[in-house]
Amino acid sequence: MKRIFTRISVLALFCLLAINVAFAQNITIKGRVIDGDDKSTIPSVSVLVKGTQTGTQTDATGAYSISAPANATLVFTYIGYVTQEVAVNNRTTIDITLLSSSKELEQVVVVGYGTQRKKDVTGSISSVKGEEIEKFAVTNPIAAMQGKVPGMTISNAGSPGSSPTVRLRGIASTKDADPLYVVDGLLQDNIDYLNPNDIETIDVLRDASSTAIYGLRGANGVIAITTKRAARGKTTVNFQTTYGIQHVNKLIDVVDAAGFKKLYSAALANAGAAPFDFTNYNGDTNWQKEILRNAAISTNSLSISNNNEKSTTLVSLGYNNQDGVIKYNNYQKFIARLNEEIRITDKIKIGADLTGFHFRNQPTENVLNTVIRSAPIVPVDNGAGLYNLMPSFQRTSVGNAVYNIERNRNTSINRGYRFNGSLFAEIKFLKDFTLKSTVYTDLGFNNTRSYTPLPYTVVNIGEGTTPTSTFLDPTARTSVSQNTFEGRKYQQDHTLNYDKVIKEDHRINAMIGFTSIYTSSTTLSGSRTDSTLKVPFDSNLWYLDVIARDNITSNGGSGAEESNAGAFGRLSYSFKNKYLLNATIRRDGSSRFAPQNRWGTFGSVGLGWVVSDEDFFKNNLKGIDFLKLRTAWGRLGNSKGVDPNLYQQTVSQASTAVFGENVYPAVDYTYIPDPNLHFEIVEGFDIGLDLRALNNRLSAEINYYNKTTDGILTSFTLPGENKTYFTNLGKLTNKGFEVSLGWSDKVGEDFTYNVSGNFSYNKNIVNSIGNTSNFQIIGNGGANLTETGNSVGYFYGYRQVGIYQSTADLDRQAHLPTSLPGDIAYEDINGDGVITPADRTYLGTPFPPYSYGLTLSVAYKGFDATIQGQGVAGNKIYTQRRTANFAPFNYESNRLNAWTGPGTSNIEPIIDSRGNNLLFSSYFLESGSFFRLRNIQLGYTFNNQIFNKVGVQKLRLFVSGQNVKTWSKVSGYSPEPQVANILGSGADNGVYPIPAVYSVGLNVTF
């Protein structure tokens, strides 16, 4: 019996092993993934064999195929849908239906040294996907974000390679209001080196609670960029390219030759001067058209990615080429990037991210101010290849713009190189702990060489009895200059993270960390002008040693270094996924300040309540899918805008003295230091709600904020001194609200559409400047003023109330002692019966208090279309280009309506050079409100089955137009607010045009 039992046991064990082996063998499982709501197929769903790194993705038809053990479990994951696990059970066909969840709530956002579910966020964070950036033909990714994020104001610049100016929730500092950029963890001041097509997501952290963990760097908001990684379980090759033509749709409306002759003759007559002889000036030149052109722009990107069981690799190459709309202006950008991750075990991984960047910039002379002031009566040349000089009345102030561009064409070589990279190691241990260490470096090298060639022979057109002649300056000499810049940054981050879910109700994420950053830079410059040797037009000779040292020489150089260090921690806790707590703390220090003032403690607290998960809510309000109320407070510092070691005294060369035959050099203090100088303190309070309703078709986000900056870093001149004093002085507040709305829906099986919009309002108020007395800070020669009770850098001047029509008007109205009929009439603000500087008043703000954006997108089968608009309102633009009076210049067309006698105009003053009419007043201000069609795009994605035989997974063609139409009353090239100079913003001096771009593009994936 025992022997029989033994044999039966062995046989049973053998059968069990055979069955187990049979089930352990891999089989091929195929199927399709379907949306549970509309029954459409879902592409790009991640299909992973649970417990392994083996995975794949569904194709454009929702189909997948994967090899897995017969007893395995498949995990289906897709953002916006509930993750589903399915046991294979020896099946070879498994079709899956995924249930939709709110995409916005399930997505992961960057929160500072980590990520967090959108659902658990208690601050104000907005996300923009990389695919939205790719729709624009731009060389800087931030330029494509206008109108996409509430509370985010972006002012683009039209010149190739230029960086936009970004403001988040107003102006929090009078020295530096630029946000902090965080690229995959590396803290940056700009992202010029990034390839727009390399971006996965951009998260904009706007409130103090979200940015407090960055300590002294996050006061102006944080823009966190996450670059692309390889998709799991597949090898992919992607190529994207766009080619576009840039065109300036709107020129500044200046008068033609007939208009100029009329107005200049009137000006001379009104001044009692002799008329000008126009006999030889028979031109009718539109100087703007002579120097502007249609310019090409192209963006190109190639990426190769692979993800296998043990490693992930992505290599990308980018090339952008942008010609400027001013002739001969060009910018080229080359980017190479490598991202590598190696999974040593399922708990240990290491990785690297390396980016190389090279740019070539061919600048051109900025002649925009010249062309709008040049007299149109002058032909460009004499028809025989010689350029004409301007008339005598403007020859010393205005040159022939075409001559200047041609003479200085290709005389500058500007090259830059930048390398940044990171290495990290991550270890998971004790199930819930993750230790991660990352080291970064960022190295930059810029070199510029320029050359001043000899002038051309020019034509001096005769006036009156003076005959026409040719002229060549015999005293002109060639010169060369060289400039070099080196910048170095080293950063390290070390974090320990604890992530635990306890009994399904308690979700805890805690993190502590340490970080440090060291930066340094050096510059060297020199120039030499020849006295005997004429340097030829050969770039190989544009070096300082070509010209002997005893020639005219100038040299310069500078350098700086600083360091920052901080320790931080964060606690995130949720109870039953509906009661939320987020808290951060950071101890941070900066070498920019004296040792006793370097360190500060910062932190934040945020609370959230998912009301829609409460039983009383579910039982009474059926149409609302999700409602979260949240509030947050944060305290942080701002060290930006301060030169390193500014608290220390420095000296510079001053006057020399001669005693007998000896010359004694002297030095003097550069500025007056404040040994108590410290960082600004920023505190912010937020309250908001997030809403999803009507089966997640309707989405809404509403925020109110109040942010105060105390101890504003300010420079001014003390009474009786001629040196700058830099100290902490004053307090300012930004408060406002933001609204985002969206609607997504589907009609039938093939038509989908999405409508979204955002609106924001910000009010900036200076609460105080100084402790015992009220200072006024002047900007842009007095056009801007910063003082208690108004916004930073508001426009300050006289308010125009009309034109003095007659001497009777002068008798009835307050006026300046020198006012005459035809002059601008100013408002008597203080009512004392005369116009004096005391009658200057608030005229508006250069910073738009209102901003908004609208987007409509539709898709039908393979077709897709997007229309995006963006605008601002409530700000003013100062037409400073119209105020120059050091020579007679060309006139803008508004001057054709100038006053010529009683009743002829109550807006435009007499054509004259009277100083009364050049005082800064509301006459020189225009409404900065505008609405612009930022992007119109139509695309078609081919059914991948057509190209499957050649291995093409996706092929999309598109055409688009950027900045195609603008509704604005601004008379300049662009209505975008000029806000880079905080204390003197809003001035239009003939800014570089922002062109419309008409482009075609291709996106293909293998």
Side-chain angles (χ1 to χ4, degrees):
M1 178 64 71
K2 183 177 181 182
R3 181 177 299 176
I4 294 174
F5 179 80
T6 301
R7 290 179 178 177
I8 293 174
S9 299
V10 171
L11 180 61
L13 179 61
F14 177 80
C15 291
L16 289 172
L17 290 173
I19 293 173
N20 192 51
V21 169
F23 274 85
Q25 292 177 346
N26 280 6
I27 61 175
T28 299
I29 305 108
K30 297 182 178 180
R32 195 175 301 273
V33 181
I34 301 171
D35 186 301
D37 294 328
D38 57 25
K39 308 307 178 184
S40 63
T41 58
I42 311 175
S44 302
V45 175
S46 173
V47 185
L48 187 68
V49 180
K50 188 175 182 179
T52 74
Q53 299 295 327
T54 302
T56 186
Q57 284 188 328
T58 58
D59 63 19
T61 65
Y64 73 93
S65 176
I66 191 170
S67 178
N71 61 346
T73 297
L74 300 183
V75 182
F76 295 82
T77 306
Y78 189 69
I79 294 177
Y81 292 82
V82 178
T83 298
Q84 189 171 160
E85 297 186 7
V86 179
V88 174
N89 291 333
N90 210 30
R91 291 179 291 173
T92 57
T93 301
I94 301 178
D95 292 330
I96 293 297
T97 299
L98 291 184
L99 299 178
S100 174
S101 62
S102 173
K103 189 174 182 179
E104 290 297 320
L105 301 178
E106 293 301 320
Q107 77 177 54
V108 174
V109 297
V110 173
V111 291
Y113 303 98
T115 59
Q116 189 176 34
R117 291 190 310 170
K118 178 72 172 177
K119 183 176 182 178
D120 298 331
V121 169
T122 55
S124 298
I125 302 176
S126 297
S127 297
V128 177
K129 291 194 171 297
E131 61 194 40
E132 293 297 314
I133 306 299
E134 294 171 2
K135 292 181 179 180
F136 290 80
V138 294
T139 57
N140 188 300
I142 298 300
M145 292 187 64
Q146 279 184 315
K148 294 184 177 294
V149 177
M152 184 179 191
T153 301
I154 299 174
S155 181
N156 280 322
S159 57
S162 58
S163 298
T165 300
V166 181
R167 299 288 180 256
L168 295 175
R169 290 185 168 180
I171 305 297
S173 174
T174 60
K175 281 297 179 184
D176 190 333
D178 294 337
L180 171 69
Y181 297 92
V182 182
V183 183
D184 295 326
L186 177 60
L187 275 59
Q188 299 283 31
D189 292 324
N190 66 73
I191 54 171
D192 297 341
Y193 65 93
L194 280 183
N195 181 359
N197 292 332
D198 274 345
I199 292 177
E200 183 69 27
T201 58
I202 297 179
D203 295 302
V204 183
L205 288 64
R206 304 191 301 278
D207 68 303
S209 70
S210 299
T211 61
I213 198 166
Y214 290 103
L216 291 169
R217 300 292 299 275
N220 297 321
V222 175
I223 299 176
I225 293 102
T226 302
T227 57
K228 290 179 180 178
R229 300 292 187 265
R232 280 186 174 267
K234 61 191 301 186
T235 298
T236 301
V237 178
N238 178 262
F239 175 69
Q240 300 179 62
T241 183
T242 63
Y243 178 84
I245 297 296
Q246 304 166 96
H247 174 73
V248 180
N249 283 341
K250 179 179 180 295
L251 302 181
I252 294 176
D253 191 6
V254 294
V255 300
D256 58 10
F260 178 82
K261 291 177 181 179
K262 173 185 175 181
L263 295 179
Y264 186 49
S265 296
L268 293 174
N270 291 332
F276 183 79
D277 185 355
F278 293 103
T279 302
N280 295 332
Y281 287 90
N282 53 11
D284 192 3
T285 303
N286 187 323
W287 290 99
Q288 296 176 83
K289 292 183 178 180
E290 294 294 333
I291 63 104
L292 295 175
R293 63 176 177 177
N294 291 334
I297 181 173
S298 66
T299 63
N300 307 274
S301 180
L302 173 67
S303 66
I304 304 172
S305 63
N306 177 66
N307 191 325
N308 56 42
E309 184 177 349
K310 287 294 185 180
S311 66
T312 299
T313 303
L314 184 144
V315 178
S316 72
L317 301 173
Y319 170 66
N320 299 332
N321 185 13
Q322 182 181 10
D323 288 329
V325 292
I326 297 180
K327 290 180 178 179
Y328 312 131
N329 194 186
N330 176 263
Y331 179 82
Q332 297 179 69
K333 180 175 177 179
F334 306 82
I335 312 103
R337 178 171 167 262
L338 169 65
N339 173 260
E340 179 75 21
E341 180 182 295
I342 301 174
R343 295 177 282 274
I344 298 174
T345 70
D346 59 349
K347 297 184 182 299
I348 302 175
K349 62 181 178 180
I350 59 175
D353 203 335
L354 308 175
T355 300
F357 166 66
H358 170 55
F359 76 83
R360 299 176 182 176
N361 185 24
Q362 182 59 61
T364 191
E365 187 169 349
N366 189 354
V367 294
L368 290 170
N369 264 330
T370 298
V371 298
I372 61 178
R373 293 171 177 169
S374 298
I377 58 176
V378 181
V380 173
D381 57 49
N382 68 345
L386 298 181
Y387 293 101
N388 292 318
L389 291 179
M390 293 295 105
S392 59
F393 54 79
Q394 62 175 206
R395 187 172 301 152
T396 58
S397 303
V398 176
N400 184 316
V402 178
Y403 165 88
N404 289 335
I405 283 185
E406 293 294 340
R407 178 190 173 191
N408 295 294
R409 177 182 180 181
N410 299 327
T411 57
S412 179
I413 301 173
N414 189 355
R415 302 286 186 266
Y417 303 87
R418 191 165 175 180
F419 169 83
N420 68 59
S422 64
L423 298 172
F424 82 90
E426 181 179 289
I427 301 174
K428 295 183 178 180
F429 61 98
L430 297 179
K431 188 178 180 180
D432 303 315
F433 289 88
T434 302
L435 177 64
K436 184 177 181 179
S437 291
T438 309
V439 293
Y440 308 84
T441 187
D442 187 4
L443 308 175
F445 310 92
N446 291 0
N447 297 282
T448 301
R449 292 185 290 131
S450 61
Y451 168 69
T452 303
L454 293 173
Y456 302 151
T457 299
V458 292
V459 177
N460 191 345
I461 299 176
E463 300 173 7
T465 59
T466 303
T468 297
S469 61
T470 59
F471 175 77
L472 177 63
D473 185 0
T475 64
R477 312 302 304 176
T478 58
S479 64
V480 296
S481 66
Q482 284 185 251
N483 297 273
T484 63
F485 167 83
E486 293 185 11
R488 296 164 291 277
K489 177 188 294 182
Y490 305 101
Q491 177 181 330
Q492 59 174 327
D493 295 341
H494 308 283
T495 59
L496 175 63
N497 193 80
Y498 173 75
D499 196 358
K500 181 74 173 180
V501 177
I502 303 174
K503 295 183 179 180
E504 298 184 356
D505 288 339
H506 306 273
R507 180 189 293 268
I508 301 174
N509 182 278
M511 182 264 294
I512 58 174
F514 170 79
T515 182
S516 70
I517 303 176
Y518 169 81
T519 60
S520 65
S521 63
T522 58
T523 62
L524 287 174
S525 63
S527 67
R528 288 187 185 162
T529 302
D530 73 80
S531 58
T532 56
L533 171 68
K534 294 181 180 179
V535 179
F537 198 103
D538 183 350
S539 60
N540 294 319
L541 300 175
W542 298 347
Y543 295 97
L544 297 185
D545 62 352
V546 172
I547 301 176
R549 296 180 182 179
D550 58 353
N551 286 254
I552 302 173
T553 302
S554 68
N555 300 302
S558 63
E561 60 181 325
E562 63 174 296
S563 59
N564 295 76
F568 51 85
R570 177 173 58 233
L571 172 65
S572 299
Y573 170 74
S574 70
F575 177 61
K576 292 187 176 181
N577 282 326
K578 57 184 178 181
Y579 306 112
L580 312 173
L581 167 67
N582 289 289
T584 65
I585 188 170
R586 176 158 179 157
R587 180 71 173 168
D588 210 16
S590 171
S591 66
R592 292 188 175 190
F593 305 98
Q596 69 272 19
N597 297 322
R598 285 177 177 169
W599 292 90
T601 302
F602 313 102
S604 67
V605 177
L607 300 174
W609 178 25
V610 183
V611 185
S612 54
D613 281 356
E614 299 288 357
D615 292 337
F616 72 83
F617 192 95
K618 295 177 181 178
N619 297 333
N620 294 284
L621 293 172
K622 300 297 184 181
I624 298 179
D625 305 297
F626 178 84
L627 174 62
K628 178 174 67 175
L629 303 179
R630 48 185 169 76
T631 184
W633 169 89
R635 183 180 190 270
L636 60 166
N638 183 33
S639 61
K640 300 185 73 174
V642 183
D643 293 334
N645 304 317
L646 195 60
Y647 63 92
Q648 294 179 330
Q649 185 60 272
T650 60
V651 296
S652 60
Q653 185 174 346
S655 302
T656 58
V658 179
F659 293 94
E661 297 181 353
N662 299 318
V663 178
Y664 295 89
V667 294
D668 194 5
Y669 293 124
T670 306
Y671 56 87
I672 302 173
D674 179 2
N676 297 315
L677 191 70
H678 60 83
F679 43 79
E680 299 171 341
I681 299 294
V682 179
E683 289 192 10
F685 168 77
D686 270 52
I687 185 169
L689 67 84
D690 300 324
L691 172 71
R692 303 290 181 270
L694 303 177
N695 292 325
N696 289 315
R697 289 176 295 179
L698 174 66
S699 62
E701 181 179 333
I702 301 174
N703 297 298
Y704 168 80
Y705 62 88
N706 190 326
K707 180 172 65 174
T708 299
T709 304
D710 199 4
I712 302 171
L713 293 166
T714 306
S715 59
F716 62 96
T717 302
L718 290 171
E721 291 282 351
N722 59 0
K723 297 181 179 62
T724 300
Y725 181 62
F726 201 91
T727 188
N728 299 94
L729 194 69
K731 182 178 181 180
L732 64 87
T733 298
N734 288 276
K735 61 177 64 176
F737 63 88
E738 303 157 343
V739 179
S740 296
L741 297 172
W743 177 269
S744 298
D745 203 358
K746 189 169 187 177
V747 179
E749 292 296 321
D750 301 314
F751 184 83
T752 60
Y753 67 95
N754 176 280
V755 181
S756 63
N758 65 79
F759 174 83
S760 61
Y761 167 75
N762 180 80
K763 184 176 183 179
N764 178 278
I765 289 291
V766 177
N767 305 109
S768 66
I769 300 181
N771 298 323
T772 59
S773 60
N774 184 30
F775 290 91
Q776 292 182 331
I777 303 175
I778 303 298
N780 195 14
N784 302 84
L785 184 66
T786 300
E787 64 176 353
T788 300
N790 281 303
S791 64
V792 170
Y794 72 87
F795 289 120
Y796 176 70
Y798 299 95
R799 180 175 290 123
Q800 181 185 16
V801 293
I803 299 292
Y804 297 116
Q805 301 294 327
S806 63
T807 55
D809 266 2
L810 292 171
D811 293 337
R812 288 192 302 268
Q813 296 177 252
H815 58 272
L816 293 159
T818 54
S819 294
L820 295 171
D823 285 349
I824 296 175
Y826 300 117
E827 184 177 356
D828 183 13
I829 297 295
N830 61 7
D832 63 359
V834 294
I835 301 299
T836 66
D839 292 309
R840 291 176 295 174
T841 187
Y842 176 92
L843 298 177
T845 175
F847 306 104
Y850 305 96
S851 61
Y852 56 95
L854 299 168
T855 301
L856 169 64
S857 59
V858 298
Y860 177 73
K861 294 187 176 179
F863 290 96
D864 64 88
T866 301
I867 300 177
Q868 183 197 343
Q870 171 260 337
V872 303
N875 64 305
K876 298 289 185 180
I877 290 182
Y878 172 26
T879 57
Q880 192 169 11
R881 65 180 188 275
R882 294 176 172 176
T883 63
N885 63 345
F886 45 87
F889 296 129
N890 195 18
Y891 305 90
E892 295 188 27
S893 59
N894 61 298
R895 299 299 280 139
L896 290 172
N897 301 316
W899 185 91
T900 57
T904 55
S905 176
N906 204 37
I907 297 174
E908 293 294 334
I910 188 173
I911 300 292
D912 205 330
S913 57
R914 300 174 187 173
N916 293 349
N917 298 320
L918 294 173
L919 297 174
F920 178 67
S921 70
S922 58
Y923 170 75
F924 294 107
L925 294 179
E926 298 176 331
S927 170
S929 302
F930 73 89
F931 177 73
R932 170 178 285 166
L933 283 179
R934 283 283 291 136
N935 191 34
I936 301 176
Q937 186 170 114
L938 175 65
Y940 182 76
T941 302
F942 291 86
N943 187 327
N944 74 320
Q945 293 180 356
I946 300 175
F947 299 98
N948 268 343
K949 294 182 180 180
V950 293
V952 175
Q953 299 180 24
K954 176 183 177 182
L955 175 63
R956 180 175 183 266
L957 299 175
F958 62 90
V959 294
S960 68
Q962 294 172 215
N963 307 323
V964 293
K965 177 64 177 177
T966 302
W967 288 267
S968 169
K969 295 181 180 179
V970 172
S971 59
Y973 290 118
S974 172
E976 297 202 14
Q978 304 301 305
V979 294
N981 179 3
I982 297 173
L983 295 176
S985 290
D988 181 354
N989 282 305
V991 296
Y992 203 105
I994 297 176
V997 184
Y998 305 95
S999 59
V1000 297
L1002 166 70
N1003 188 333
V1004 58
T1005 302
F1006 298 92

